[in-house]
Amino acid sequence: MNFAEKLLHLRKREGLSQEDLAAHLEVSRQAVSRWEMGTALPDAPNLLRISKRFGVTVDFLLNDSEPEPPDVAEDQISRYTKQKQQAAVLLLVGMQSLACLCGLIGRFIQSELMVWIGLTLNLVGVIAFEAGFLAYFGTRAVQDSRGLFYRISVWFFAYSPVHMAVTALWRLYPRPHLAFLEWGSALTVYLLICVFTSVRLTAPSPKKDEKESPPVNHAEG
């Protein structure tokens, strides 16, 4: 295998498009296309970035006599990539937990500024996941990790907006009521949303690629 074949093989195995890899390397899609067609070679800095991105050595990429990496090596690369994805998810979930803590402190000290700072951090975390994962890991990684991220994060970022919405609804109630009812109803709605979201995202989705086998026609005897 030459460099062009190896790059194409590694890119497809990671589920990256040419645009995804180009965005990660900060080059044009046409440059990646030329590399995979064998009409050009990347410079030394880009070779180093490619080797780090796919977990292989520069010697492997440039040495045409090197055999195709065995399945064991590919599995190790895949596991390494998944570990990086999981670490990134946990980092962003940590940001969501910090935002939740900020919102709770804001409600405890009755500071609307702290509450809105928490909500802003929640929004930044979601944008960082959707945009950052797409740019660094590719489209398939976003699809694979989206369920894990939102399944955990919903428990951190759902309470503040739910509490604000429930409080606004209670203010429309004409009769006096206990503050406990606002907190209790907000907590109930929050738990229902979180449990439903977690269960919904945990349930396996049907595979669209699977085709139903055609019915067998038995000839009449």
Side-chain angles (χ1 to χ4, degrees):
M1 295 178 71
N2 56 27
F3 172 80
E5 294 170 334
K6 291 175 182 177
L7 180 61
L8 178 63
H9 172 78
L10 292 171
R11 177 177 65 79
K12 287 189 173 182
R13 179 164 181 82
E14 294 294 330
L16 298 173
S17 65
Q18 288 185 343
E19 290 82 359
D20 293 334
L21 183 58
H24 175 70
L25 300 176
E26 298 180 351
V27 298
S28 64
R29 186 198 64 80
Q30 290 76 11
V32 176
S33 178
R34 288 195 297 271
W35 298 343
E36 293 185 351
M37 289 189 297
T39 58
L41 282 174
D43 55 17
N46 281 324
L47 277 172
L48 186 60
R49 290 179 182 177
I50 293 171
S51 67
K52 289 182 177 180
R53 176 62 185 83
F54 295 113
V56 297
T57 64
V58 175
D59 289 339
F60 166 76
L61 293 173
L62 295 178
N63 192 350
D64 291 351
S65 63
E66 283 281 350
E68 182 178 351
D71 292 339
V72 175
E74 291 182 347
D75 291 342
Q76 290 175 349
I77 294 172
S78 180
R79 286 198 299 269
Y80 176 67
T81 302
K82 289 181 179 179
Q83 288 174 355
K84 291 196 295 184
Q85 293 174 8
Q86 292 172 356
V89 168
L90 292 177
L91 179 63
L92 292 174
V93 168
M95 178 186 293
Q96 300 287 23
S97 63
L98 179 62
C100 177
L101 179 62
C102 186
L104 291 176
I105 292 175
R107 297 202 171 279
F108 181 75
I109 65 176
Q110 297 183 351
S111 171
E112 290 295 328
L113 177 62
M114 290 287 289
V115 174
W116 283 106
I117 290 176
L119 290 174
T120 302
L121 288 176
N122 287 143
L123 182 60
V124 169
V126 172
I127 294 175
F129 170 77
E130 294 291 343
F133 257 64
L134 182 62
Y136 188 81
F137 294 111
T139 305
R140 191 175 70 178
V142 175
Q143 296 172 349
D144 293 343
S145 303
R146 183 175 282 125
L148 175 63
F149 174 74
Y150 288 110
R151 195 165 60 243
I152 299 175
S153 296
V154 67
W155 293 89
F156 294 113
F157 65 67
Y159 184 76
S160 287
V162 167
H163 187 271
M164 293 175 68
V166 171
T167 301
L169 291 176
W170 271 108
R171 288 174 181 172
L172 299 177
Y173 188 67
R175 297 182 179 180
H177 56 274
L178 298 175
F180 172 76
L181 293 178
E182 291 187 14
W183 285 93
S185 56
L187 181 61
T188 301
V189 175
Y190 161 75
L191 290 175
L192 288 175
I193 291 176
C194 291
V195 171
F196 174 80
T197 303
S198 298
V199 172
R200 185 72 177 85
L201 293 176
T202 304
S205 57
K207 297 181 179 180
K208 298 181 180 179
D209 296 336
E210 294 181 357
K211 297 181 179 179
E212 296 183 357
S213 57
V216 179
N217 296 326
H218 298 282
E220 295 181 1

